[in-house]
Amino acid sequence: MSVTIYTAPNCARCTILKEFLASRGEDYVAYDFLADKDIFSAFYREHRACLHRDEENSLEFPIYDDGSRVLQGIGEILAALIAGDGLAGCVGTTGLLHGWISGINVSACPAGEEEHLLILLQLLTKGGLSVHLDCDGRRPELLEKILGEGLAARLTLNILGPAEMYPDMADGPLLPDDMKRSVALARATPGAVIRFLVAAHGPAGSLRISPEQAGQAARWILELCGDRMLPVFIEAGPAGSLPALTDQDLLAYRAKVRAALVRAEINRPQQHR
Amino acid sequence: MGHPTIYPTGVTIYNPEKAYNGFTVISAPDMGAILLNMNGAELRLWKDLHGFPNKIFPGGHIMGSTGTRNPKHALQDQLDVVQVNWDGDIVWKFDQAEFVEDPGSEPRWVARQHHDFQREGNSVGYYAPGMEPKIDSGNSLILSHKNVSCPFISDKPLLDDVIYEVTWDGEIVWEWLCSDHVEEMGFSEAARNAMCRDPNFRGGSLIENAPAVGDWMHVNSMSTLGPNKWFDAGDTRFHPDNIIIDGRETNVILILDKKTGKIVWQVGPDYDTSRELKALGWIIGQHHAHMIPRGLPGEGNILVYDNGGWAGYGNPNPGAPTGVKTAQRDYSRVLEFDPVTLKIVWQHTPHEAGFLIPLDASRFYSPFISSAQRLPNGNTLITEGSNGRLIEVTPEHEIVWEFINPYRGKISLPMHWIYRAYRAPYEWVPQAGKQDEVEVKPLDTMSFRVPGAAPLGPQSSVSVAGTIGYYSGAGHCVAATE
């Protein structure tokens, strides 16, 4: 099965992929989307439906095509090459350009895939990328190992809702000690952000916590960490099949969270150029 | 301009036939809120109730706050907004805007309120027919502070203005942050350049080790438009729920759309960009810009105390070498203008007050604080705040009531300042009972003497041969502009 990769000039992510393929002794053909624009254009026309663009409306490189599948983005490509589908649940579409990479949720790493995730993070870090890691309170032992090895430059701890909703929202239970440990790790990590991520979950994308449930989760976090001054943000995530939440909608969430964690604030994207 | 060292205080002019008779509430420096009758009797002192401002509501309720954060740690932040009854009991309180841990104080919730608030039922916080603020329910709009970072304005830490709508139970249900809309305000490159370098940066200037903050906009009034003829005629910019604010530092008065948050009407920051704005003239460091409520004479017009003084960002000039506080004028104007045509409908300036501009203009001048309230009989209650003078003037500019604040700040500002006074109808404070209304005729200041001073007039006179008398309108060192 022949492998073709499409790259961009001066692309660190593309270099990481080339070196990875070379280290495994795999043959491949590489095309630069500018220098080989006719070839790339033909490929793009055929596969545009399965390619995504980032928030700056740029195509993310590298793109990997082995004839049976097309993969895009260094995170997804390496995850697939290292672990097959093993890391599919914890490595999503990788965003954040300019030297950063995101879309990796350590808490969703399946049991038995820990070493693969570590290898992935090592390759990204060694290749010069700064990893923005997400977690949701689960797998604190793996998070601690990753942080200990310096494989995450930035950390976001997402609180999805009350613990009892985790099985439906995150495909796995959340234990109090795990969340307690995760909060402690986040607090000990410079620049880490703890946020209530109000997003749609579930197969139909229709399960989203209410302000009261956010408040319930906040009281629980307060019980675990014992610090009402814990800095936390509230942020709207993907809305799925539900109406998107506005900043004004989030005020009700903030009010309920602040009843326990008094420094809660709405995290909004930068408003100005 | 020199002011006399000795002068009468309290009520100095009162014409019961022409004044709108009622109660007046003031915030006396370092004392609390005082309710005055028309003769200046201090009927009630709500001791140490801060007023930023104090407002009287029906039932003898008074609005204010229990105090401020220590100025070492915050700039003009009120701890809370409270509604207090005649007996001094707090019947409503809002403080849950931010939780702070100020050194030397117990950690606590604070409102960070400053300059204004409004209660549902009334758009502006003063009497208008059929528009009573609710006293046992309803939402409130609270103007507060919030610390933000906004590189579009400056790299300095900023003290921003935020408006909260809070329920009777104290929950914030709507929020508007001023800096989010700075790009809509139309600042010139020169203004942005100056603002970036110095966004009214007040680090350490207030008190030793005070927090360093850029009070870039300094919003000092906030009210809803209420029902009005413009909206009735289809102009959606003037939706009754929309909010009008003004920014002292920027010379901007704007109306924001309550639903979208967008700015839908504005004057300033520059007043030389259209014929209409040039005719309106530079509004500088203004206070209390609001729409006159329905049912009052002039309803639908904008009433504002245009302080003068110094404000605005722009190109450097000799009076503002760094481009900060570029517009300057040493007298005040009270303007009532049409928000659609921008034409001045009524004004009270030094000219109407009888003072020659510019030679004697600073006799009507307060470079900060101050306000104007339209009264049901068409008069206007003006707070000339810095020297603590309240005047009620008729549409023809006759002063029919004047009050000079006798109280001088001993702890805070060493001035006789009054931030903003309000007049309320008698029926709003039934507890005070019926009031006498005794005319106070203006003293003849020419002949009035304090004990021990010699009486008016030369004790002897002699004619000088060859003198020819005086011309009216003779030339002076400085030309009068009118």
Side-chain angles (χ1 to χ4, degrees):
Chain A
M1 194 160 41
S2 64
V3 171
T4 305
I5 65 173
Y6 300 92
T7 64
N10 304 313
C11 166
R13 297 163 192 246
C14 306
T15 304
I16 292 172
L17 178 58
K18 287 177 181 175
E19 290 179 352
F20 176 75
L21 293 173
S23 72
R24 299 199 354 173
E26 290 191 23
D27 293 331
Y28 62 92
V29 178
Y31 294 110
D32 182 290
F33 89 103
L34 281 179
D36 307 304
K37 62 181 180 183
D38 292 339
I39 296 173
F40 178 72
S41 293
F43 168 80
Y44 180 74
R45 280 195 296 272
E46 187 179 347
H47 295 92
R48 74 169 80 225
C50 64
L51 297 175
H52 65 262
R53 291 176 179 269
D54 66 15
E55 57 193 25
E56 297 179 359
N57 199 33
S58 297
L59 273 177
E60 185 178 357
F61 289 96
I63 298 168
Y64 175 97
D65 179 9
D66 65 6
S68 63
R69 59 185 172 172
V70 173
L71 302 169
Q72 183 185 12
I74 188 63
E76 287 177 275
I77 296 171
L78 286 183
L81 296 180
I82 293 168
D85 292 333
L87 293 176
C90 66
V91 180
T93 300
T94 48
L96 285 179
L97 297 180
H98 309 298
W100 286 87
I101 187 166
S102 64
I104 302 171
N105 181 6
V106 60
S107 297
C109 181
E113 291 292 339
E114 295 85 354
E115 283 305 312
H116 285 151
L117 181 61
L118 286 168
I119 290 169
L120 170 66
L121 293 171
Q122 286 162 355
L123 287 169
L124 296 174
T125 304
K126 188 181 168 192
L129 294 179
S130 298
V131 176
H132 183 166
L133 196 66
D134 283 278
C135 62
D136 60 27
R138 300 170 295 155
R139 307 302 311 269
E141 78 294 341
L142 182 55
L143 173 63
E144 187 169 15
K145 187 171 178 60
I146 291 170
L147 293 173
E149 292 188 19
L151 299 177
R154 193 182 291 169
L155 175 66
T156 296
L157 168 56
N158 298 305
I159 299 166
L160 306 181
E164 56 267 30
M165 293 182 70
Y166 264 64
D168 293 329
M169 302 178 80
D171 297 326
L174 173 62
L175 302 176
D177 280 350
D178 283 355
M179 179 56 93
K180 183 176 182 178
R181 201 168 154 194
S182 294
V183 170
L185 286 169
R187 299 192 75 179
T189 303
V193 168
I194 303 174
R195 68 178 178 181
F196 287 76
L197 185 63
V198 188
H201 297 276
S206 59
L207 178 61
R208 185 164 67 193
I209 58 171
S210 65
E212 289 71 23
Q213 288 165 329
Q216 182 186 340
R219 290 193 295 277
W220 185 60
I221 297 293
L222 175 59
E223 285 175 21
L224 294 176
C225 74
D227 181 6
R228 63 179 172 171
M229 301 299 289
L230 181 73
V232 295
F233 287 103
I234 297 154
E235 195 170 326
S241 60
L242 301 172
L245 292 172
T246 66
D247 284 348
Q248 304 295 350
D249 294 328
L250 292 178
L251 293 173
Y253 288 87
R254 187 182 68 180
K256 298 299 182 188
V257 172
R258 276 184 172 181
L261 301 171
V262 296
R263 292 178 66 188
E265 189 51 275
I266 295 168
N267 197 26
R268 303 176 311 153
Q270 177 60 253
Q271 298 292 307
H272 307 291
R273 287 171 276 135
Chain B
M1 301 293 288
H3 290 276
T5 306
I6 303 300
Y7 55 89
T9 61
V11 170
T12 54
I13 299 173
Y14 175 35
N15 181 340
E17 299 299 318
K18 292 187 175 179
Y20 174 72
N21 299 302
F23 298 113
T24 304
V25 65
I26 64 169
S27 310
D30 310 332
M31 287 183 67
I34 296 179
L35 189 75
L36 305 169
N37 72 9
M38 294 302 291
N39 283 91
E42 300 173 24
L43 302 173
R44 196 73 155 186
L45 166 66
W46 284 268
K47 200 174 173 211
D48 295 332
L49 181 68
H50 291 221
F52 207 14
N54 292 122
K55 298 185 184 184
I56 277 284
F57 281 1
H61 288 250
I62 186 161
M63 303 294 293
S65 68
T66 61
T68 63
R69 291 173 70 189
N70 189 320
K72 283 186 178 179
H73 311 301
L75 175 63
Q76 296 190 306
D77 282 5
Q78 305 298 297
L79 295 174
D80 47 34
V81 180
V82 294
Q83 179 181 327
V84 178
N85 66 17
W86 181 254
D87 296 322
D89 304 316
I90 293 175
V91 298
W92 181 84
K93 179 168 87 168
F94 169 73
D95 64 1
Q96 299 221 343
E98 284 187 33
F99 194 89
V100 298
E101 293 182 297
D102 291 337
S105 302
E106 285 294 312
R108 60 166 294 168
W109 286 100
V110 292
R112 302 196 67 185
Q113 181 269 341
H114 66 97
H115 287 96
D116 221 339
F117 51 81
Q118 304 297 343
R119 171 65 56 74
E120 185 178 340
N122 181 287
S123 56
V124 294
Y126 65 72
Y127 173 80
M131 206 181 280
E132 290 200 349
K134 297 181 177 181
I135 58 169
D136 53 8
S137 64
N139 288 4
S140 298
L141 290 173
I142 310 287
L143 175 60
S144 293
H145 278 140
K146 194 170 211 174
N147 294 359
V148 305
S149 168
C150 181
F152 184 88
I153 297 172
S154 175
D155 58 344
K156 314 283 190 301
L158 298 176
L159 185 69
D160 205 2
D161 298 294
V162 60
I163 303 171
Y164 299 118
E165 181 178 356
V166 303
T167 65
W168 182 257
D169 297 325
E171 182 174 329
I172 296 171
V173 293
W174 183 85
E175 185 173 313
W176 185 87
L177 189 65
C178 197
S179 63
D180 284 351
H181 302 275
V182 61
E183 286 185 77
E184 302 167 45
M185 295 181 191
F187 290 108
S188 66
E189 279 303 307
R192 286 194 57 201
N193 190 4
M195 193 188 298
C196 179
R197 294 165 192 269
D198 180 1
N200 192 25
F201 198 54
R202 302 180 68 177
S205 63
L206 291 174
I207 192 169
E208 188 180 359
N209 298 324
V213 288
D215 187 15
W216 71 283
M217 183 78 170
H218 196 91
V219 174
N220 61 32
S221 73
M222 179 274 307
S223 56
T224 58
L225 303 183
N228 63 81
K229 58 186 177 185
W230 315 113
F231 182 74
D232 292 346
D235 194 334
T236 57
R237 295 177 299 169
F238 304 106
H239 188 288
D241 292 339
N242 288 356
I243 295 171
I244 181 169
I245 65 173
D246 72 57
R248 196 221 100 90
E249 280 311 308
T250 55
N251 301 331
V252 166
I253 304 172
L254 63 84
I255 293 173
L256 63 97
D257 186 301
K258 179 80 186 305
K259 277 190 178 167
T260 66
K262 298 291 184 188
I263 296 170
V264 292
W265 176 96
Q266 179 179 340
V267 292
D270 300 314
Y271 291 84
D272 54 4
T273 54
S274 72
R275 182 185 301 171
E276 292 78 12
L277 285 168
K278 285 177 182 173
L280 184 61
W282 278 79
I283 293 176
I284 303 171
Q286 73 285 348
H287 281 74
H288 200 209
H290 64 279
M291 180 172 280
I292 297 173
R294 171 162 286 174
L296 293 176
E299 66 175 68
N301 291 333
I302 304 299
L303 188 63
V304 58
Y305 190 99
D306 170 15
N307 295 70
W310 47 91
Y313 304 91
N315 280 315
N317 64 54
T322 63
V324 175
K325 307 190 194 306
T326 49
Q328 299 170 11
R329 191 184 63 234
D330 57 1
Y331 63 86
S332 296
R333 309 186 296 171
V334 173
L335 301 179
E336 176 189 349
F337 65 94
D338 181 317
V340 176
T341 65
L342 304 187
K343 284 185 177 171
I344 294 175
V345 177
W346 180 86
Q347 65 178 2
H348 189 79
T349 75
H351 174 74
E352 289 78 17
F355 307 130
L356 204 57
I357 296 175
L359 303 176
D360 206 17
S362 62
R363 291 179 67 181
F364 181 58
Y365 181 34
S366 173
F368 79 128
I369 53 178
S370 310
S371 62
Q373 174 188 352
R374 179 55 45 85
L375 299 169
N377 62 355
N379 292 352
T380 304
L381 177 69
I382 298 171
T383 303
E384 190 182 357
S386 61
N387 55 359
R389 187 173 78 120
L390 312 179
I391 53 173
E392 179 182 340
V393 299
T394 66
E396 296 76 28
H397 308 286
E398 180 185 355
I399 297 178
V400 295
W401 186 80
E402 182 180 63
F403 174 84
I404 310 296
N405 184 14
Y407 297 112
R408 179 181 166 89
K410 295 183 176 65
I411 304 169
S412 54
L413 285 176
M415 303 173 68
H416 292 79
W417 62 297
I418 294 175
Y419 169 61
R420 185 192 296 173
Y422 283 107
R423 175 75 47 78
Y426 286 133
E427 56 267 29
W428 276 22
V429 193
Q431 299 92 334
K434 183 170 171 51
Q435 302 297 308
D436 292 331
E437 297 169 351
V438 180
E439 182 178 11
V440 179
K441 292 185 176 175
L443 288 172
D444 177 8
T445 55
M446 191 170 178
S447 60
F448 177 76
R449 292 293 183 278
V450 298
L456 173 70
Q459 294 185 354
S460 66
S461 68
V462 61
S463 298
V464 179
T467 55
I468 63 168
Y470 304 92
Y471 293 104
S472 71
H476 301 285
C477 302
V478 178
T481 55
E482 52 186 49

